[in-house]
Amino acid sequence: MEHKHAHESHDHTGYGHDAHKHAGAAREDVTAHAAHGHEDHHHAGAHAGHGVDHSGHEAMFRRRFWVSLALTIPVLLFSPMIQTWFGFSMPEFSGSQLIGPFFAIIIFLYGGVPFLQMAVPEIRNRRPGMMVLISLAITVAFLYSLFAVFVDPMGGFFWEMATLIDIMLLGHWLEMRSVRQASGALNELAKLLPDMAERILPDGEIEQVRVAALREGDLVLVRPGASIPADGDVIEGHSSVNESMLTGESRPVEKEPGARVIAGTLNGAGSLRVRVTATGDQTALAGIMWLVEQAQQSKSNAQILADRAAGWLFYIALAVAALTAIGWTLATSFNLAVVERVVTVLVIACPHALGLAIPLVVAISTSLGAKNGILVRDRLALETARRIDTVIFDKTGTLTEGRFGLAGLETVTGWSEETALALAAGVEGDSEHPIAQGIRRAAEERKLTPEAVTGFEAIKGRGIRAVHDGRTVYAGGPQLLDMLDARLPDSLARFRDDASRKGQAVVYLVVENEPVAAFTVADIVRPESRHAVDRLHAMGIEVAMLTGDARPVAEAVAAELGIDTVMAEVLPEHKEQKVAELQRQGKRVAMVGDGVNDAPALVRADVGIAIGSGTDVAIESAGIILVQSNPLDVVKVFELSRATYRKMIENLLWATAYNVLALPLAAGVLAPFGILLSPAVGALFMSLSTIIVAINAQFLRRVELGGMRPATIA
């Protein structure tokens, strides 16, 4: 009769899995992050509503853009200037000449007022920037066009004001969308915590309380399938807890009295009584949240540069306008022509191109990235990636697949690999131990049927004993061989020595006290990882690996992939410190990870890159996400960054240089030579500048990442 046994009693301590001992310690010591000292940090449960809601701003700019764009159509169609330039005419009727001004006034009041409001803080702080310059341009264009309605109907340019407002609304909509997409990490973390908890009173009664009401020392009941409300120690009960949202590891962790549990993790099939050791700000989850929160304060360097350029341009425009007014008044006396000249200067100064230079490139680059499996959440991260000289990879789930597979198999003479593997799979039964899972999975992949065994018995600290075809069969580690006083054949001894150098645990299959086969199980390395490391080296980028795994295991993976630096046996709360150490050495660091324990390191790094198959929190904490979980896409990130930054700088240089060169022309420095720029022509040239910036940004779509044309996403 085929045996059946509960995996809970299956003792693998004799397997010699020293390489796996770190895992439990790493998980438990995550709670030490509570000592990080975040006294000013609000309760974790309150983070669902933390910070500024940028979704409202995004919706506002989106709505105003589409409405203003629709209203701009009749403004353009009924503009005498536009009709003259393009050689068409609109039907004339009583009041038709007022259609353009009527809709333009609505556009100014509806689409332009937000910029006037946003200019107030810049004026108040005496630091004029983009908003002040935009406000100046649209206000001057608006007032001059109203004046022209009564003085010179052909001289107004409501169309210029309307298109300027449209472009600025579009740019800010794109910007707010980017900000909103970068603000979800804290919400994802907050979702891990339950709202209510079951507190056990001294008399044994159970009361429902809010998680915020829990205090250190409280005893709580965690039912099967419930989220753990606070960090604590198991007092009573036995269960498996899903800690994947914190560790990135999919395998449940067994919990029994004395074990630590972490707030936000998910209880399995058993009930637990937990003594609370940390709540609110002091939990491991809150500590991670505090660090992740720092990622929410990012701004594009190029955008900062654009803002500064706008500030300089404001003062330059005012100075040139003042000099123009003074010079032309002295030369011709004050008249309408002087007003027209000053207006031309201020219109030329309006940052059509400057306001669109960055948002348009960002929009195109994010689209291009998406087609290549790269999601850009933080534009600062994308810009910074071009300067990265060191990339740190998390091992488990990033360079490796995060699941154990059969790494090696050796048999003695007379035993085939298939026979030994089928028998080992039968002996291991339904054990949840990673080595047992790896052996069974290998048998399944080879389409082998596990041999039936009877008389199963777990030998504490040694391994397993069972009976197959009347023969006693054992499976276990070195302690099993010591117990049996079994001598390894030379072939198995060499296999063991090679595995030891790689930090791999060895399982022996013993039949009637004679070792017949040896197995090694290891985390499976992604086939793309070696190629990714080689490509990064070719780009002059150093590659490091950061892992909680034992050093021999980590060094074996590093040697296989050609990694330069290995940081092993690192606890989750210390990963961020390792990143900071490299930064203090003057290195610009990118971190690639997949678990919540990677989130602080992802935030600390100059660029955080999350593997798409990782946890939601790790993804939300990173500036860049690799959708296809392919390490090779890290290379594409750097290529995209360099191409994007190049386009940003080209657009900024064109936008600012054009303004600087055009302003003297608008002022009339070439008037002695018969060259005089009218406000209308100035507005036209400004629009052409915007078109050039837009076309230049479109060339970014032609960039081939990874040497391949981007595939179209269905």
Side-chain angles (χ1 to χ4, degrees):
M1 181 178 178
E2 186 176 351
H3 89 274
K4 295 184 179 181
H5 61 279
H7 71 264
E8 288 87 349
S9 64
H10 193 161
D11 190 349
H12 284 78
T13 56
Y15 277 13
H17 302 155
D18 294 338
H20 301 288
K21 290 181 180 179
H22 73 278
R27 291 186 185 98
E28 292 181 359
D29 286 339
V30 167
T31 57
H33 204 89
H36 205 84
H38 309 310
E39 292 82 6
D40 298 327
H41 192 63
H42 300 293
H43 182 268
H47 273 279
H50 186 86
V52 179
D53 182 11
H54 295 284
S55 61
H57 291 153
E58 179 190 357
M60 184 270 289
F61 281 115
R62 181 180 66 247
R63 181 175 60 254
R64 293 183 185 242
F65 165 72
W66 286 115
V67 172
S68 297
L69 182 63
L71 296 176
T72 299
I73 296 175
V75 175
L76 293 173
L77 293 176
F78 284 89
S79 171
M81 193 176 302
I82 298 295
Q83 294 178 23
T84 301
W85 285 345
F86 292 95
F88 71 94
S89 61
M90 296 296 292
E92 294 186 5
F93 50 88
S94 179
S96 61
Q97 72 276 13
L98 299 178
I99 291 179
F102 173 77
F103 284 104
I105 292 172
I106 298 176
I107 294 172
F108 179 79
L109 296 176
Y110 183 72
V113 165
F115 297 107
L116 301 181
Q117 294 171 336
M118 289 186 291
V120 173
E122 293 183 0
I123 297 173
R124 187 183 297 120
N125 296 329
R126 299 178 181 179
R127 296 184 64 180
M130 186 73 74
M131 294 303 102
V132 171
L133 191 55
I134 293 171
S135 299
L136 177 65
I138 63 176
T139 303
V140 168
F142 178 71
L143 295 176
Y144 179 80
S145 297
L146 280 180
F147 175 73
V149 169
F150 303 100
V151 178
D152 181 14
M154 293 292 294
F157 43 95
F158 281 116
W159 65 271
E160 167 68 13
M161 180 210 71
T163 55
L164 173 60
I165 290 175
D166 293 342
I167 290 172
M168 293 305 160
L169 287 172
L170 174 62
H172 280 74
W173 171 23
L174 296 175
E175 181 180 4
M176 289 298 104
R177 184 174 65 176
S178 174
V179 172
R180 186 261 304 167
Q181 292 172 345
S183 65
L186 298 179
N187 289 340
E188 290 295 332
L189 284 165
K191 290 177 187 177
L192 299 180
L193 284 174
D195 295 325
M196 305 296 293
E198 293 186 273
R199 182 164 57 193
I200 302 175
L201 301 176
D203 60 2
E205 293 292 322
I206 297 176
E207 65 172 351
Q208 291 276 344
V209 298
R210 298 193 65 82
V211 170
L214 292 178
R215 297 292 181 265
E216 184 177 348
D218 284 348
L219 186 64
V220 296
L221 174 65
V222 184
R223 299 184 186 274
S227 293
I228 295 173
D231 291 0
D233 298 324
V234 177
I235 303 301
E236 182 182 333
H238 186 280
S239 185
S240 58
V241 176
N242 184 352
E243 297 183 343
S244 63
M245 62 284 293
L246 290 176
T247 66
E249 303 289 344
S250 59
R251 187 174 63 253
V253 182
E254 298 297 318
K255 300 293 183 182
E256 57 188 16
R260 291 183 180 180
V261 291
I262 305 169
T265 56
L266 187 64
N267 188 27
S271 293
L272 297 174
R273 293 175 183 260
V274 176
R275 182 73 66 186
V276 175
T277 59
T279 64
D281 299 349
Q282 303 304 313
T283 62
L285 186 61
I288 294 174
M289 289 174 69
W290 183 87
L291 291 173
V292 172
E293 190 177 7
Q294 309 310 304
Q296 308 308 316
Q297 305 300 322
S298 66
K299 190 171 186 179
S300 165
N301 286 330
Q303 188 62 60
I304 293 173
L305 183 58
D307 292 340
R308 290 176 178 174
W312 299 332
L313 189 57
F314 170 78
Y315 289 114
I316 293 173
L318 287 185
V320 174
L323 291 174
T324 300
I326 295 171
W328 280 86
T329 299
L330 293 176
T332 65
S333 73
F334 185 79
N335 52 41
L336 185 60
V338 175
V339 176
E340 184 177 275
R341 193 62 24 219
V342 172
V343 169
T344 304
V345 169
L346 295 177
V347 170
I348 285 286
C350 75
H352 264 77
L354 194 59
L356 201 60
I358 304 305
L360 188 57
V361 173
V362 169
I364 294 173
S365 66
T366 53
S367 174
L368 178 61
K371 292 179 180 179
N372 285 272
I374 303 166
L375 296 183
V376 180
R377 297 182 60 256
D378 184 353
R379 55 189 177 179
L380 179 60
L382 183 63
E383 287 182 34
T384 305
R386 68 186 178 87
R387 299 187 291 114
I388 292 298
D389 54 33
T390 304
V391 176
I392 303 175
F393 285 97
D394 172 56
K395 181 182 78 68
T396 305
T398 303
L399 293 174
T400 68
E401 294 183 2
R403 63 183 181 91
F404 287 89
L406 187 66
L409 168 60
E410 184 69 28
T411 61
V412 299
T413 303
W415 281 76
S416 68
E417 290 187 357
E418 288 74 15
T419 301
L421 187 57
L423 181 56
V427 173
E428 292 291 358
D430 60 352
S431 171
E432 293 300 316
H433 195 279
I435 285 185
Q437 292 179 341
I439 291 174
R440 294 200 308 272
R441 189 180 299 111
E444 293 172 1
E445 291 172 352
R446 300 191 187 191
K447 299 185 177 350
L448 301 176
T449 302
E451 296 288 350
V453 300
T454 59
F456 171 83
E457 180 184 359
I459 308 172
K460 188 173 179 61
R462 300 292 188 272
I464 308 166
R465 177 167 53 210
V467 177
H468 173 69
D469 285 347
R471 297 185 297 176
T472 304
V473 183
Y474 301 88
Q479 292 86 344
L480 175 66
L481 300 182
D482 294 339
M483 183 191 78
L484 299 175
D485 197 24
R487 181 181 177 278
L488 282 178
D490 291 343
S491 60
L492 299 187
R494 289 192 296 270
F495 181 82
R496 175 202 60 197
D497 294 341
D498 183 62
S500 297
R501 286 191 293 271
K502 297 178 179 178
Q504 297 173 340
V506 183
V507 180
Y508 302 99
L509 183 67
V510 182
V511 178
E512 297 291 352
N513 288 21
E514 292 294 329
V516 299
F519 308 86
T520 58
V521 177
D523 197 0
I524 301 172
V525 176
R526 295 182 187 271
E528 309 90 354
S529 296
R530 179 58 192 255
H531 193 190
V533 173
D534 291 342
R535 290 283 301 277
L536 290 171
H537 282 159
M539 299 175 73
I541 297 174
E542 179 184 348
V543 181
M545 184 172 68
L546 180 62
T547 178
D549 254 335
R551 182 162 292 279
V553 176
E555 289 180 345
V557 174
E560 180 180 348
L561 298 178
I563 290 174
D564 305 303
T565 304
V566 178
M567 293 171 280
E569 302 175 355
V570 181
L571 298 178
E573 65 268 26
H574 295 158
K575 288 187 175 184
E576 180 220 6
Q577 298 174 14
K578 293 294 183 181
V579 174
E581 287 177 10
L582 291 177
Q583 290 174 324
R584 285 194 291 270
Q585 296 172 17
K587 297 180 178 180
R588 298 184 181 95
V589 181
M591 173 71 192
V592 186
D594 71 325
V596 175
N597 59 41
D598 297 322
L602 290 170
V603 172
R604 171 63 65 181
D606 297 281
V607 177
I609 303 174
I611 292 290
S613 61
T615 64
D616 289 342
V617 176
I619 291 172
E620 292 288 347
S621 303
I624 299 171
I625 300 99
L626 307 183
V627 178
Q628 302 175 5
S629 304
N630 186 348
L632 268 173
D633 287 344
V634 174
V635 178
K636 294 182 180 180
V637 168
F638 300 127
E639 294 175 341
L640 179 62
S641 172
R642 294 172 182 180
T644 299
Y645 191 80
R646 184 166 58 250
K647 286 300 173 189
M648 285 182 175
I649 296 303
E650 288 173 0
N651 277 358
L652 283 177
L653 289 175
W654 172 259
T656 54
Y658 174 84
N659 283 87
V660 171
L661 293 174
L663 281 174
L665 292 178
V669 295
L670 297 182
F673 304 95
I675 301 175
L676 198 59
L677 221 59
S678 69
V681 175
L684 178 62
F685 283 175
M686 202 64 239
S687 298
L688 290 175
S689 172
T690 305
I691 293 172
I692 292 173
V693 166
I695 293 174
N696 185 54
Q698 294 299 324
F699 283 121
L700 184 61
R701 299 184 186 275
R702 304 176 65 180
V703 173
E704 299 182 7
L705 302 181
M708 299 177 61
R709 293 292 299 176
T712 302
I713 296 179

